[in-house]
Amino acid sequence: MNEPQILGLHHITAIAGHAQRNYDFYTQTLGLRMVKKTVNFDDPGTYHFYYGDEQGTPGTILTFFPWEGIGQGRTGTGMATEIGYSVPPGSLDFWKDRFTRLHVPHEAAAERFGETFLSFTDPDGLNLALLVPKEADARKGWATGDIKADIATKGFHSTTLTLKKIDPTAQVLTDIFGYRLLAQEGNRYRFITDAVPNAAIIDLLETPEGQPGRNAAGTNHHVAFRVANDTVQMAYREKVLGKGLQITPKIDRDYFFSLYFREPGGVLFEIATDNPGFTVDEPLAELGSHLKLPKQYEGMRSDIEQSLPPLQQY
Ligand code: ZN
């Protein structure tokens, strides 16, 4: 039990353009809960939005830096190129109809590794998919007025990393993080951890001729892996250093502690803790409804509020 474990995905962070459009898509079209509205701690003139389930449980959290006017990024190698959400069996027809009605670009349902999925893109062109997992997913989705719990997304199923060569990244997953190769289909290699039942899958897609991605709107910024607490986290810091990779010191992100390192395939990885969670500065019922600032920026609140784009919340 004292063996440190990576508990699957913690969160994924992507870049958006227009803040209101991002909010509308993720809370209204996709039905996620905004669990935190704050600023980029490294750039407080920019929002940082967190979307997840009711509590913002690790493994359900998708976050965005909406940078107005940043321009379109390019999806390519050295980045996460698909965010996969788990949805209940039988829900894909609902989602397909909804995407058609709301003009969300999407593809026909398809199958990989024996699981049916529906690919779609957000208004910035970010690639996402809804997947019906083979194993039942007991997590409870966040229900909204028109997206009931029996069809709501349940949190992450997986993410896909696109790489020129998968081996160095695969070694980080297996030798440091405790994942194992589960299956292969063509150039897609599925890795899984047995430490958790959900948000446990990373697909590595090998594209030797692929062009490197460029980080801007519509692309993923980093992928965060989950650990129980900062004691376990620091054990992983040693493991990463022991493999000859660079890694940051522990950084306080108010809702979790973070370490960052660039894995050899080019993807920015983070190791993030469960503690303290999103209710540290707002009650559960009010998550996401107030602009929360880290204490170093509280004195600049009125300037920050004036510089941020207006956001209408429903
Ligand atoms: Zn992060």
Side-chain angles (χ1 to χ4, degrees):
M1 196 59 209
N2 289 327
E3 180 68 16
Q5 284 188 312
I6 292 287
L7 305 173
L9 291 166
H10 184 286
H11 66 269
I12 298 172
T13 293
I15 301 172
H18 194 268
Q20 184 74 53
R21 190 175 66 172
N22 178 263
Y23 173 87
D24 288 349
F25 184 80
Y26 285 96
T27 64
Q28 306 300 299
T29 303
L30 211 52
L32 304 180
R33 184 180 193 201
M34 178 179 259
V35 292
K36 196 63 65 183
K37 178 173 65 168
T38 182
V39 293
N40 182 334
F41 287 13
D42 303 316
D43 176 11
T46 305
Y47 280 122
H48 193 182
F49 293 161
Y50 291 76
Y51 305 104
D53 67 0
E54 182 185 20
Q55 303 175 42
T57 308
T60 75
I61 308 161
L62 178 58
T63 97
F64 286 91
F65 299 127
W67 269 305
E68 306 279 332
I70 188 175
Q72 194 63 33
R74 184 178 64 221
T75 296
T77 59
M79 59 169 52
T81 52
E82 184 191 271
I83 296 163
Y85 276 99
S86 168
V87 292
S91 67
L92 287 183
D93 286 346
F94 166 89
W95 285 107
K96 192 165 177 42
D97 289 348
R98 183 172 182 82
F99 291 162
T100 301
R101 191 161 46 80
L102 300 176
H103 309 292
V104 175
H106 62 280
E107 292 175 20
E111 195 168 301
R112 66 187 178 217
F113 301 113
E115 297 176 333
T116 311
F117 70 99
L118 184 61
S119 294
F120 64 104
T121 54
D122 85 352
D124 286 296
L126 186 70
N127 296 318
L128 298 109
L130 301 177
L131 303 100
V132 178
K134 260 187 213 163
E135 310 285 338
D137 185 338
R139 294 176 295 177
K140 187 165 169 282
W142 170 250
T144 68
D146 51 353
I147 302 172
K148 306 299 179 203
D150 61 342
I151 41 155
T153 62
K154 291 171 172 288
F156 295 135
H157 167 282
S158 56
T159 188
T160 299
L161 313 182
T162 299
L163 304 156
K164 279 189 180 294
K165 198 156 82 69
I166 71 157
D167 288 354
T169 307
Q171 276 171 26
V172 170
L173 292 179
T174 57
D175 299 0
I176 307 178
F177 285 178
Y179 284 65
R180 63 183 169 85
L181 180 64
L182 178 68
Q184 177 192 355
E185 268 188 19
N187 63 339
R188 180 178 289 271
Y189 298 77
R190 173 154 291 187
F191 290 80
I192 192 165
T193 175
D194 298 314
V196 281
N198 307 114
I201 292 169
I202 305 286
D203 280 355
L204 302 185
L205 195 63
E206 189 165 68
T207 61
E209 308 304 324
Q211 292 297 307
R214 191 175 64 83
N215 249 173
T219 63
N220 289 300
H221 188 266
H222 64 265
V223 174
F225 292 84
R226 174 184 182 190
V227 289
N229 55 54
D230 37 329
T231 306
V232 175
Q233 182 182 43
M234 293 315 273
Y236 274 99
R237 188 168 190 278
E238 294 306 311
K239 284 180 185 242
V240 171
L241 286 171
K243 295 288 181 184
L245 299 170
Q246 305 268 342
I247 187 165
T248 66
K250 182 169 76 171
I251 299 170
D252 184 353
R253 294 303 189 192
D254 279 17
Y255 312 108
F256 42 85
F257 295 94
S258 296
L259 300 172
Y260 302 88
F261 71 102
R262 183 126 357 230
E263 60 81 25
V267 185
L268 185 59
F269 278 0
E270 176 180 347
I271 300 173
T273 61
D274 278 7
N275 63 305
F278 292 102
T279 52
V280 71
D281 61 358
E282 267 177 318
L284 182 62
E286 294 174 22
L287 288 184
S289 56
H290 315 282
L291 178 69
K292 305 308 292 188
L293 296 176
K295 56 181 177 306
Q296 65 268 32
Y297 298 135
E298 200 52 68
M300 300 158 60
R301 175 174 281 275
S302 61
D303 287 348
I304 289 172
E305 284 178 346
Q306 280 173 31
S307 70
L308 289 168
L311 184 73
Q312 192 189 351
Q313 291 182 248
Y314 320 106

